[in-house]
Amino acid sequence: MTFWSGERLRDEGPALKIVHGFDTGKIDCSAYTLTLGPEAFVTPDHSASLRDSKKAILAEARDQEIFGIKSRTKGGEVSIPPGQFAILLTEEFVRIPPSVLGFISLKFSIKGTGLVNVSGFHVDPGFQGRLIFSVYNAGPTAINMTRGQDLFLLWLADLDRSSGKDFVKSPPQQITTSIPEDMVARANHRIRSLQQMSDDVDKIQRQLDFIKGVGKLVALAVALASLTIAGVRFFAESPAVSSPVERPESPPSPQPILP
């Protein structure tokens, strides 16, 4: 098995229509760079409603001219929270010849942020359509991407012969242009990430700390109330308080002496 060089991609790629609208400027060493396409789906977290969870339709980046200066707007954006899965679609349509096997990966610029490809690493001979990537955000923060951003790489490798019809990907009735609805339905489940569980633990700890603080205040109030009641009882039952004050008897008045 021999991998195609960048030169071979440049020379044979356009004629074989490896990528629809083949652009030699997208060749990166011995790989062809693919970009994020018009759709994406992100699994909902535990606080989101499954009913509201659906594919995101990403706006296309476009060229514009302002004050005579040409610029390009950013495409629609999608964000993958930490610990969540996503289904991504390429902008480009790919066609793999029957004598070739494709290999796919994420570019390091996005892989280095914690995004992991979990959908597989090859493209069958005879495949036609947009590529679909399943990815997982293993990083600590959300990963933001925009339509048209360089995200994926495609390598080509020769087989020892051209595969017959029994050993190539059966051509679909319709070329893949979007993320299939059944794939979205299978992935539409709440996923409690490690980060969310850590946040929940922190929340519970704060509640416990609050309850402990309230408990200490209640215990102090009860102690003060008990001391107050004990003091009242003490003074009420004390002989010095309950017995009347005895006054000394006055001496009898002297009686007059009669003659």
Side-chain angles (χ1 to χ4, degrees), residues 54-220:
K54 59 185 67 176
K55 289 189 294 186
I57 307 301
L58 309 181
E60 186 175 7
R62 58 187 180 84
D63 295 324
Q64 62 180 357
E65 185 173 332
I66 302 176
F67 301 131
I69 301 175
K70 293 183 178 180
S71 62
R72 187 170 180 81
T73 61
K74 292 177 62 176
E77 184 174 330
V78 61
S79 179
I80 307 175
Q84 298 299 320
F85 289 86
I87 303 173
L88 306 178
L89 189 70
T90 63
E91 186 74 60
E92 296 78 10
F93 291 88
V94 173
R95 183 168 71 172
I96 306 298
S99 60
V100 172
L101 180 66
F103 290 91
I104 54 177
S105 181
L106 295 169
K107 290 179 68 68
F108 180 76
S109 58
I110 193 70
K111 189 188 302 181
T113 62
L115 198 64
V116 181
N117 175 26
V118 296
S119 58
F121 304 94
H122 77 280
V123 187
D124 293 320
F127 174 85
Q128 299 181 75
R130 282 178 163 141
L131 297 179
I132 298 175
F133 283 78
S134 293
V135 296
Y136 175 73
N137 182 2
T141 59
I143 297 175
N144 300 318
M145 298 166 290
T146 57
R147 182 175 178 179
Q149 181 179 347
D150 293 342
L151 293 182
F152 318 105
L153 293 173
L154 170 67
W155 290 269
L156 300 177
D158 284 322
L159 301 174
D160 63 348
R161 71 192 71 183
S162 182
S163 299
K165 64 179 182 178
D166 295 332
F167 301 97
V168 297
K169 189 74 171 179
S170 300
Q173 297 298 323
Q174 185 177 2
I175 292 178
T176 302
T177 59
S178 61
I179 300 173
E181 296 299 332
D182 60 339
M183 182 178 291
V184 172
R186 290 195 300 269
N188 193 16
H189 298 282
R190 293 188 183 92
I191 297 177
R192 188 175 292 274
S193 67
L194 292 176
Q195 182 63 43
Q196 289 169 344
M197 287 190 286
S198 176
D199 293 341
D200 290 343
V201 170
D202 291 340
K203 182 179 179 180
I204 293 172
Q205 185 61 54
R206 289 193 297 270
Q207 292 174 344
L208 289 175
D209 292 340
F210 175 77
I211 293 173
K212 288 179 181 179
V214 172
K216 290 179 180 179
L217 291 175
V218 171
L220 180 60

Side-chain angles (χ1 to χ4, degrees), residues 39-59:
E39 292 181 352
F41 174 78
V42 180
T43 53
D45 61 20
H46 67 285
S47 63
S49 171
L50 295 179
R51 181 176 298 178
D52 297 332
S53 180
K54 59 185 67 176
K55 289 189 294 186
I57 307 301
L58 309 181

